[in-house]
Amino acid sequence: MTAALRTDRAASSSVVEALLDGQPIVVVGPETGCVLLAAATATTAGVVWAIRHSTGLLRAVVEPERADALRLPPMSGTDRTRRGNLQAVAVDGVGTGTGISATARATTLRILADPATTPDDLVAPGHVLVELVGTEPRPTAAGAVAEAAVRLCARAGLPPVAVLADVLDAAGEPLRPPGLRALADAASVPLLTVPVSVPRPEGNPA
């Protein structure tokens, strides 16, 4: 499944500028959304904003070849019958202390995106989740958003490693598109809409 970027025109301005500056972007999917950062330019401030408005779990979305090069195997016990991309082992960057702080996680994200990084620059398990884009057994909207985020980083001239964090409302439930738009407006954060049509299984009427 290939996701369309509704904001291709906007991506040449505010969205790309935010990625290059390490600023967050609010991504609106069909039903829910997430915060997007470019791993290569991740800043402490950007990570703090993403954590504050999300589950707090940051997913570094990488191409499987990148994970292989860094010797990051699929997470033990991964169930291929579940929906969603494969997850590799979570990591911290070497020299980031406990790895849990926003500064440490921003550093880990930049290490993951750096083409010069070697396996010796990362330790596992850690505090940054690693998701392998394009490895879904069945198409999902979340997988299409992840694919679009990686492609957008590459389109901005950055390494194709995106950072996603699922946004929650005050009750701890996934925030819906109207709330996501209000959040972006209130924080003056660029908004990216990823319209996705996920095929329904045969025999499951609309």
Side-chain angles (χ1 to χ4, degrees), residues 32-125:
T32 60
C34 56
V35 179
L36 164 65
L37 297 165
T41 57
T43 64
T44 297
V47 168
V48 167
W49 199 92
I51 293 170
R52 182 177 299 148
H53 295 286
S54 74
T55 63
L57 298 175
L58 303 183
R59 310 191 319 268
V61 186
V62 306
E63 295 170 331
E65 296 80 8
R66 178 64 176 162
D68 288 344
L70 294 176
R71 298 179 197 159
L72 302 178
M75 192 178 296
S76 177
T78 296
D79 180 3
R80 290 293 287 162
T81 67
R82 70 184 293 276
R83 295 171 69 87
N85 284 322
L86 279 173
Q87 306 291 313
V89 293
V91 296
D92 289 333
V94 169
T96 59
T98 65
I100 189 60
S101 72
T103 297
R105 284 192 269 180
T107 300
T108 297
L109 291 167
R110 293 193 302 272
I111 291 172
L112 275 170
D114 188 343
T117 293
T118 71
D120 292 337
D121 297 317
L122 298 166
V123 295

Side-chain angles (χ1 to χ4, degrees), residues 88-189:
V89 293
V91 296
D92 289 333
V94 169
T96 59
T98 65
I100 189 60
S101 72
T103 297
R105 284 192 269 180
T107 300
T108 297
L109 291 167
R110 293 193 302 272
I111 291 172
L112 275 170
D114 188 343
T117 293
T118 71
D120 292 337
D121 297 317
L122 298 166
V123 295
H127 297 87
V128 171
L129 306 181
V130 179
E131 179 175 325
L132 309 183
V133 70
T135 58
E136 293 183 306
R138 295 185 297 262
T140 67
V145 169
E147 179 185 343
V150 168
R151 289 194 291 116
L152 183 59
C153 288
R155 193 171 298 177
L158 297 168
V161 183
V163 185
L164 299 178
D166 298 312
V167 181
L168 302 180
D169 62 19
E173 297 296 326
L175 191 61
R176 302 300 179 182
L180 291 162
R181 295 186 181 96
L183 173 64
D185 288 343
S188 298
V189 169

